Amino acid sequence: MAPSFDNLPEDDGFDSDEEVDVSDLRAQHEVRMEQGLDAFVVIDGLPRVPEDSKAKLVKFLTKKLNSAGKTREDNVFMPLNDEGMTEGFAFVEYDTPDQANAAIRQLHGTPLDKRHTIAVNKLTDIERYGREGRVDDEYHEPEIEPFSEKEHLKWWLGDSAARDQFVMYRGDNVGVFWNRKKEAADMVVDRQHWTETFVQWSPKGTYLATTHRKGIQLWAGRNWGRQSRFPHPLCNMIDFSPNELYICTWSFKPIEVEENDPILSLDEEGKNYIIWEVSTGKPLRSFVTHDLGPSVDAEGNPIKKRIPWPAFKWSSDDRYVARMKDGESISVYELPKMNLLKPNTGDKTTVTMKIEGVREFDWAPSVPQRDSVKSYEQLLAYWTPEIGSNPAKVALVSVPQLGDPIRTRNLFNVSDAKLHWQSQGAYLCVKVDRHSKSKKSNATNLEIFRVREKGVPVEVVDAVKDTVINFQWEPEGNRFVLISTSEPVVATAVPPKTSVSFYCPEKVKGSVPGNFKLIRTIDKKNNNAIYWSPKGRFVIVATIASAQSFDLDFWDLDFEGEKQDADKDLTANLQLMATGDHYGVTDVEWDPTGRYIVSSASMFKQQIEHGYHLYDFKGDLLREEHIEKFKQFHWRPRPATLLSKDEQKQVRRNLREYSKDFEEEDRIADDKEKGAVVEGRRRLLSEWFAWIEREKEELAADRREAGLPESLEDEQEVDEEEDLKTVQETVEEIVEETEEIVN
């Protein structure tokens, strides 16, 4: 009898309670329901070829597609029409949705050959944009809107008096004002609730950024219209690229993307950072915040860790942006595609610069001009601490090559280091805090890389015996100022005693600057901040955010007076021009022309005496304003000048002649102001007399209605006539007397 379900033996060795392990088969054949169609992309813009050439095209296309992920020729579906020709598009399946997303970022809009540029989109976007009813089956020619002239976004640069603008945030109001030398500022625009947390100018002053719960908005133009919106909910920080092409936004809370969001996609879900393109307002790529390590120490005490900002740092020409993972790597992305720039190490699987222990990195702030290097490059510097028996190291890397460092420097007994680029990229100063072998004392020395000289030599300035707490290069110059202290650097209400030191190169023959020499050290100070004029030469050394001291020292490094004998061989002539003070000062900022300085006290940082002081570059106080709930003051930046170097030299050469015209304009302006005061007083006087005449007329009318004389004088005359007695009196007066002799 054949076996059947009805006559199975009672015990066939199979325990129904025991489950058979088929996990390997399930993993091999299970449909990836959680991924759905997310691993599929649509490639458009392909050439139309006959069926005989299809295989060749698929092979060529697959090779390009594999540069962003992993796929096979079998996963490329390229349909044919009735005529046996391809339709110019294809469907491609990648191994994972992440690879599909990478293909969209890296390959969309890239050339396939000289005549074809491909477009890469998600297959799921069909559901998003092409759902039934959203796309009309019949083609309708789009309406071309009539041309409308847009506002000039740099209109403020055409001010005839060359005035600068500033933004001020106080209370619930944000206002933009024209600065005036002595008089109160002229208001340009003032809006209530324009921002929710803070305001920020773009680097060239084109846009004013405001923050809101739903994201960031950019404003510009004479009418201050909204130019762009970046819907990053609960955004906490923003950072513009140097040329204002891109903006990075960050929120502490991960992003939650709403359903059918018109701009954000599921790629941004759970992310903290977004890189945006300013011109289109579209996100280029999003990232999560890196893990900052343990939040408590070995004893269970909480560790305060600050989010590094900016987390993404831009190259000077906006072509690259880089991000560091503390202690592990640096990733360099090429803009605007946000493709990872692979290091030139020979390992094709490496997509980031693996740098063990890396602590800090920074781009050169301008395109470097290294000796004998004619090809394009950007420079990126980083440093690593001592690890085991390996010394600490500073390295310079050329981008986009990303090969071996072009220059390295080993350091020993390092407790900390900071990178300070000179504004033109000619120097890199590494401030190295060193500890003694017993680790009981600290000192600082400066390792200065001369980037434009052959071989990038390193000059060591070890004359500093104390710990340097602040260092600043002169903009567009080769001098620097530092502040040092011998006391422990801790957060206290009383600032430590500090010393302020000024350095410059010594005079040498030739075009290469000499070694850096100390000009002068000022001891027994409490200063903790350095603010150079954006044009160089003048510098303010200040004490900020202190309840005990609030000094402002105005220095000139090119004083035109007599030079001391000790400074004859130095490229500076140091002179203290003035000393000021501003109680509770929290911020100091130069205007972009280097003519004015504002010191301000913000309620964000202290509770009393809010407002700002305006000084000229010599330290003369021009204006002082106390403002309740004062929060922010920022000068509007200016773009770089369009004048050539020769034209700028010509202007400086004839500056004394130009200054006469400026002084005459100032005198006329002062006369106008004085004339305006006199004219105002005359107007008030004429208004007073007119009021008197009107009152007299009204009084006369009232008296006529009452049957009285029109004025009190007339009434008095009537009363006097009633009591008058007429008395006639003759008075003789000799008009002329002539004496004549008659014979």
Side-chain angles (χ1 to χ4, degrees):
M1 186 175 66
S4 68
F5 182 83
D6 296 329
N7 58 12
L8 286 176
E10 294 182 3
D11 186 6
D12 60 353
F14 176 76
D15 187 358
S16 59
D17 294 333
E18 183 180 348
E19 208 174 303
V20 178
D21 184 10
V22 292
S23 58
D24 55 340
L25 297 175
R26 183 181 294 111
Q28 182 177 356
H29 299 285
E30 187 175 24
V31 178
R32 295 173 295 181
M33 298 299 295
E34 72 280 359
Q35 294 180 4
L37 300 176
D38 289 339
F40 287 83
V41 296
V42 181
I43 312 295
D44 203 357
L46 298 174
R48 299 174 183 268
V49 298
E51 186 176 2
D52 296 341
S53 303
K54 175 183 172 182
K56 185 178 179 181
L57 176 59
V58 169
K59 184 176 181 180
F60 178 74
L61 179 62
T62 305
K63 184 178 179 180
K64 186 174 183 65
L65 297 176
N66 280 329
S67 63
K70 291 183 178 180
T71 186
R72 301 179 301 278
E73 295 182 21
D74 295 341
N75 291 343
V76 178
F77 175 69
M78 194 176 296
L80 299 173
N81 58 22
D82 297 338
E83 300 175 358
M85 299 286 290
T86 61
E87 293 282 7
F89 62 88
F91 301 94
V92 179
E93 181 185 10
Y94 277 96
D95 287 351
T96 64
D98 290 339
Q99 293 179 12
N101 293 333
I104 294 170
R105 287 193 300 268
Q106 298 179 28
L107 302 179
H108 181 70
T110 58
L112 183 68
D113 54 29
K114 293 182 179 180
R115 294 187 299 173
H116 298 86
T117 299
I118 60 174
V120 185
N121 294 282
K122 289 183 178 180
L123 182 61
T124 53
D125 285 345
I126 295 176
E127 290 295 322
R128 188 176 181 185
Y129 301 113
R131 192 177 300 163
E132 185 177 355
R134 292 191 179 185
V135 179
D136 197 339
D137 293 336
E138 184 178 350
Y139 172 75
H140 298 281
E141 186 175 351
E143 284 188 24
I144 300 177
E145 296 183 1
F147 172 76
S148 60
E149 186 175 357
K150 293 185 177 181
E151 289 186 291
H152 195 335
L153 299 185
K154 299 187 184 297
W155 63 275
W156 86 98
L157 297 175
D159 181 58
S160 59
R163 295 176 297 175
D164 280 294
Q165 290 186 349
F166 61 84
V167 63
M168 187 162 52
Y169 181 22
R170 69 270 188 242
D172 295 328
N173 287 56
V174 175
V176 179
F177 301 84
W178 287 111
N179 181 51
R180 299 178 67 186
K181 187 174 182 180
K182 296 180 181 179
E183 303 298 320
D186 291 337
M187 185 176 67
V188 180
V189 63
D190 193 27
R191 296 177 182 174
Q192 193 174 25
H193 303 298
W194 201 354
T195 188
E196 295 184 15
T197 53
F198 65 91
V199 293
Q200 182 175 325
W201 291 109
S202 59
K204 294 185 177 182
T206 306
Y207 305 104
L208 177 66
T210 59
T211 58
H212 310 270
R213 289 185 60 83
K214 293 186 177 182
I216 304 298
Q217 299 187 16
L218 301 187
W219 310 82
R222 190 181 295 273
N223 295 320
W224 296 97
R226 186 173 61 201
Q227 306 297 318
S228 299
R229 292 197 306 177
F230 306 98
H232 186 151
L234 303 176
C235 178
N236 299 107
M237 301 288 285
I238 61 176
D239 182 50
F240 284 91
S241 65
N243 294 319
E244 304 177 341
L245 299 180
Y246 310 100
I247 185 173
C248 175
T249 58
W250 172 79
S251 62
F252 178 78
K253 183 180 179 180
I255 298 172
E256 297 179 2
V257 180
E258 298 180 358
E259 187 177 359
N260 298 325
D261 190 295
I263 296 179
L264 300 181
S265 66
L266 293 179
D267 292 342
E268 283 71 55
E269 179 74 26
K271 306 294 180 62
N272 303 90
Y273 298 93
I274 301 181
I275 306 292
W276 306 82
E277 189 172 35
V278 172
S279 61
T280 62
K282 294 182 178 180
L284 300 180
R285 192 164 179 177
S286 55
F287 303 84
V288 297
T289 300
H290 282 153
D291 184 14
L292 299 178
S295 57
V296 295
D297 58 17
E299 299 177 357
N301 299 318
I303 301 175
K304 292 184 179 180
K305 291 196 174 183
R306 181 177 296 179
I307 298 290
W309 187 261
F312 290 83
K313 297 184 179 182
W314 316 92
S315 65
S316 63
D317 58 358
D318 286 12
R319 292 183 62 175
Y320 304 99
V321 64
R323 184 191 190 189
M324 180 187 74
K325 189 171 185 180
D326 189 36
E328 296 184 19
S329 63
I330 298 176
S331 301
V332 180
Y333 299 88
E334 189 174 8
L335 292 164
K337 296 298 181 183
M338 290 301 293
N339 301 334
L340 263 174
L341 203 61
K342 296 183 179 180
N344 188 14
T345 59
D347 185 359
K348 295 183 179 180
T349 62
T350 303
V351 294
T352 61
M353 297 170 58
K354 300 289 185 181
I355 307 170
E356 185 181 6
V358 61
R359 294 282 295 276
E360 183 188 4
F361 82 99
D362 204 0
W363 292 95
S366 65
V367 177
Q369 300 174 358
R370 286 198 298 135
D371 182 69
S372 70
V373 176
K374 297 182 179 180
S375 60
Y376 167 82
E377 72 169 356
Q378 292 282 343
L379 287 184
L380 185 147
Y382 67 86
W383 81 276
T384 59
E386 297 174 83
I387 302 176
S389 59
N390 296 324
K393 183 175 67 173
V394 177
L396 289 176
V397 178
S398 178
V399 179
Q401 290 78 15
L402 282 187
D404 294 333
I406 62 171
R407 184 71 165 88
T408 58
R409 177 80 170 176
N410 292 333
L411 307 170
F412 299 90
N413 300 328
V414 177
S415 57
D416 194 14
K418 295 292 182 184
L419 307 176
H420 298 275
W421 278 100
Q422 186 254 8
S423 62
Q424 296 171 320
Y427 302 95
L428 169 66
C429 176
V430 184
K431 182 182 74 69
V432 184
D433 296 332
R434 299 181 185 271
H435 55 75
S436 61
K437 292 184 178 179
S438 62
K439 298 186 178 181
K440 293 183 178 181
S441 60
N442 289 312
T444 300
N445 72 297
L446 309 177
E447 307 271 343
I448 300 178
F449 291 69
R450 293 173 170 262
V451 176
R452 293 183 178 176
E453 298 178 26
K454 187 175 182 179
V456 191
V458 179
E459 179 183 348
V460 180
V461 178
D462 54 5
V464 186
K465 302 302 180 184
D466 299 328
T467 302
V468 175
I469 61 173
N470 203 332
F471 175 99
Q472 295 294 331
W473 283 104
E474 176 186 22
E476 302 181 7
N478 50 18
R479 299 174 291 197
F480 59 84
V481 182
L482 60 85
I483 300 175
S484 60
T485 181
S486 59
E487 301 179 18
V489 182
V490 293
T492 59
V494 180
K497 291 296 181 183
T498 59
S499 299
V500 182
S501 300
F502 300 83
Y503 286 80
C504 73
E506 60 182 349
K507 291 181 179 179
V508 293
K509 295 181 180 180
S511 59
V512 179
N515 292 330
F516 291 95
K517 298 295 182 181
L518 175 66
I519 306 172
R520 196 181 309 165
T521 296
I522 313 299
D523 295 318
K524 298 180 181 179
K525 302 290 290 183
N526 295 113
N527 302 133
N528 56 13
I530 304 167
Y531 301 95
W532 279 99
S533 164
K535 304 300 181 182
R537 177 175 175 177
F538 303 105
V539 63
I540 297 174
V541 184
T543 307
I544 65 170
S546 170
Q548 303 293 327
S549 180
F550 25 86
D551 300 333
L552 299 171
D553 296 336
F554 296 79
W555 294 89
D556 181 6
L557 273 75
D558 288 328
F559 182 63
E560 296 179 357
E562 186 177 354
K563 213 173 190 181
Q564 298 181 10
D565 293 338
D567 299 338
K568 296 292 184 182
D569 295 331
L570 300 179
T571 57
N573 188 17
L574 184 66
Q575 178 67 34
L576 178 63
M577 298 184 294
T579 298
D581 61 76
H582 181 176
Y583 178 76
V585 59
T586 58
D587 301 280
V588 177
E589 187 172 335
W590 285 84
D591 85 315
T593 64
R595 295 177 293 177
Y596 303 105
I597 308 100
V598 159
S599 62
S600 58
S602 170
M603 68 171 292
F604 286 156
K605 301 178 182 179
Q606 59 106 1
Q607 299 301 318
I608 58 175
E609 297 290 336
H610 303 144
Y612 72 90
H613 293 182
L614 177 70
Y615 301 86
D616 67 6
F617 68 94
K618 301 187 300 295
D620 295 333
L621 180 62
L622 303 177
R623 192 166 70 244
E624 182 178 339
E625 293 196 25
H626 298 281
I627 304 172
E628 291 187 8
K629 297 183 179 180
F630 173 88
K631 299 175 181 178
Q632 285 182 283
F633 182 107
H634 292 300
W635 293 102
R636 187 171 194 173
R638 286 176 174 263
T641 178
L642 299 179
L643 298 178
S644 65
K645 291 184 178 180
D646 292 337
E647 290 172 331
Q648 294 180 51
K649 289 180 180 178
Q650 184 70 18
V651 170
R652 295 191 188 98
R653 192 177 299 116
N654 299 323
L655 193 57
R656 291 185 182 276
E657 297 181 9
Y658 298 146
S659 63
K660 296 178 182 178
D661 298 333
F662 299 147
E663 290 171 359
E664 180 65 18
E665 290 179 4
D666 289 342
R667 187 190 64 78
I668 294 173
D670 291 340
D671 291 343
K672 286 182 178 179
E673 291 174 359
K674 293 176 182 178
V677 172
V678 174
E679 184 63 28
R681 291 175 179 174
R682 288 176 178 171
R683 186 181 68 255
L684 291 175
L685 189 60
S686 64
E687 291 175 357
W688 165 253
F689 287 137
W691 179 82
I692 291 176
E693 292 299 325
R694 289 195 303 271
E695 291 298 317
K696 285 183 177 180
E697 291 176 359
E698 292 179 2
L699 181 60
D702 293 341
R703 292 181 68 85
R704 284 195 300 269
E705 291 180 2
L708 298 174
E710 291 189 0
S711 65
L712 292 175
E713 290 81 359
D714 296 338
E715 185 176 357
Q716 291 174 358
E717 289 178 1
V718 171
D719 294 339
E720 290 175 358
E721 289 177 357
E722 293 176 353
D723 299 333
L724 186 64
K725 293 182 180 180
T726 303
V727 177
Q728 185 174 358
E729 182 179 356
T730 303
V731 179
E732 294 182 358
E733 180 181 356
I734 299 174
V735 178
E736 183 178 1
E737 185 176 354
T738 304
E739 184 177 350
E740 184 178 352
I741 301 175
V742 179
N743 293 331

